[in-house]
């Protein structure tokens, strides 16, 4: 069984953990359900949370992303296995690092599926491929429970700030039930239909992101090599048509060869690999993503797996 942490709090009130063991409760009338800032095709906020939200929620996988996401809900007593969390809670969220862990935690010997039953829900916010998501969905729904895949766009800081983007698919009833929690953890949410669509959207997004970072890395090194100040390049890029928050946030530390992990490089390479598999399944050519994937593999071979994915620039330095 893959290692995981979990919590399963009672939530007749919404509570914020301040400093253990002190917890402040806020009555339902004051719950901070934020209005969705997403465009029209994204869903609006859930209108009546007090009537339909589940009484107990669990969270499996308290890693670099899962921990701040869980802290934006509630953090309380710990459970010993995914099965116990799922059996005790009405809705269980899971955030695992890769498809293997996601399947193990959901479907393994003491997996969450063993604790599921009609009336319960399982929300998998891990980034996996569509085949894996459908496999987990089959096990969960086989118990009579509901399933929603909900991978997120965003890294550590957006998770801490409750600014993630949820890409959901699966049981619409469960989506509507957990919408208030998605609004706590994120700034917008999209419902995309059948299971597999959320996974596919996340892989496409991360494929683009990985390629953008590789190209940005090339630009930083080239600017320095021809005698330009790469810090000025970061400023120029941030003010032009190709501006992206990723460049202005990560650029300065990349110039200093510092890569504090917000989104580990090994996960970016994993997502590129899964995206390439998705493209292969529909005979879509992705030569840029394929070349980018090879660059991230080189970076991994240099021991940079646990550094931020911006450390891919080091693979280019090694080629000089």
């Amino acid at each position: 069984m893959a290692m995981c942490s979990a919590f399963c709090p009672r939530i007749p009130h919404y509570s914020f953990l301040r400093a253990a063991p002190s917890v402040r409760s806020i009555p339902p009338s004051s719950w901070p359900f934020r209005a969705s800032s997403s465009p029209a095709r994204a869903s609006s906020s859930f209108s009546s949370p007090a009537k339909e939200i589940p009484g107990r929620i669990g969270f499996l996988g308290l890693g670099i992303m899962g921990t701040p996401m869980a802290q934006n809900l509630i953090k309380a007593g710990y459970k010993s296995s995914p099965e116990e969390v799922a059996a005790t809670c009405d809705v269980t969220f899971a955030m695992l690092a890769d498809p293997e862990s996601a399947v193990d935690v959901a479907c393994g010997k003491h997996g969450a599926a063993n604790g599921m039953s009609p009336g319960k829900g399982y929300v998998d916010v891990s980034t996996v491929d569509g085949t894996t998501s459908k496999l987990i969905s089959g096990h969960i729904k086989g118990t009579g429970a509901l399933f929603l895949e909900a991978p997120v766009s965003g890294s550590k800081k957006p998770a801490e700030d409750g600014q993630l983007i949820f890409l959901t698919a699966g049981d619409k009833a469960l989506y509507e039930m957990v919408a208030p929690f998605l609004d706590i953890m994120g700034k917008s949410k999209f419902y995309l239909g059948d299971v597999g669509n959320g996974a596919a959207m996340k892989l496409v997004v991360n494929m683009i992101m990985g390629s953008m970072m590789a190209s940005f890395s090339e630009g930083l090194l080239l600017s320095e090599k021809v005698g330009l100040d790469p810090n000025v390049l970061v400023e120029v890029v941030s003010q032009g048509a190709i501006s992206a928050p990723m460049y202005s946030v990560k650029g300065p530390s990349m110039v200093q060869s510092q890569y504090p992990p917000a989104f580990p490089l090994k996960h970016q390479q994993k997502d590129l690999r899964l995206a390439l598999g998705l493209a292969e399944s529909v005979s879509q050519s992705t030569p840029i993503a394929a070349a980018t994937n090879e660059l991230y593999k080189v970076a991994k071979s240099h021991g940079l797996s646990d550094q931020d994915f911006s450390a891919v620039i080091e693979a280019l330095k090694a080629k000089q």
Side-chain angles (χ1 to χ4, degrees), residues 36 88 112 119 199 220 266 298:
S36 173
T88 308
L220 286 176
K266 62 186 177 184
V298 171

Side-chain angles (χ1 to χ4, degrees), residues 144-265:
L146 301 178
F147 176 82
L148 187 74
E149 64 173 355
V152 297
S153 180
S155 57
K156 182 179 180 183
K157 188 63 164 60
E160 292 172 343
D161 295 342
Q163 294 292 298
L164 296 168
I165 301 169
F166 285 90
L167 308 171
T168 74
D171 287 311
K172 188 69 174 291
L174 181 56
Y175 170 76
E176 293 173 347
M177 182 190 303
V178 302
F181 300 124
L182 303 185
D183 287 338
I184 291 169
M185 295 184 288
K187 65 180 180 180
S188 61
K189 56 190 182 295
F190 295 80
Y191 180 77
L192 303 171
D194 295 336
V195 171
N197 289 344
M201 182 68 81
K202 175 60 187 298
L203 292 179
V204 170
V205 168
N206 276 20
M207 180 187 76
I208 295 170
M209 183 174 70
S211 299
M212 287 172 62
M213 178 55 73
S215 182
F216 183 55
S217 298
E218 289 183 337
L220 286 176
L221 293 178
L222 178 58
S223 68
E224 187 173 21
K225 198 124 185 188
V226 300
L228 300 173
D229 184 344
N231 287 295
V232 176
L233 174 65
V234 174
E235 292 184 33
V236 172
V237 168
S238 69
Q239 296 183 36
I242 60 172
S243 174
M246 178 177 72
Y247 297 148
S248 58
V249 169
K250 297 185 182 295
S253 61
M254 292 171 69
V255 173
Q256 300 298 318
S257 299
Q258 297 176 359
Y259 317 105
F263 180 42
L265 186 143

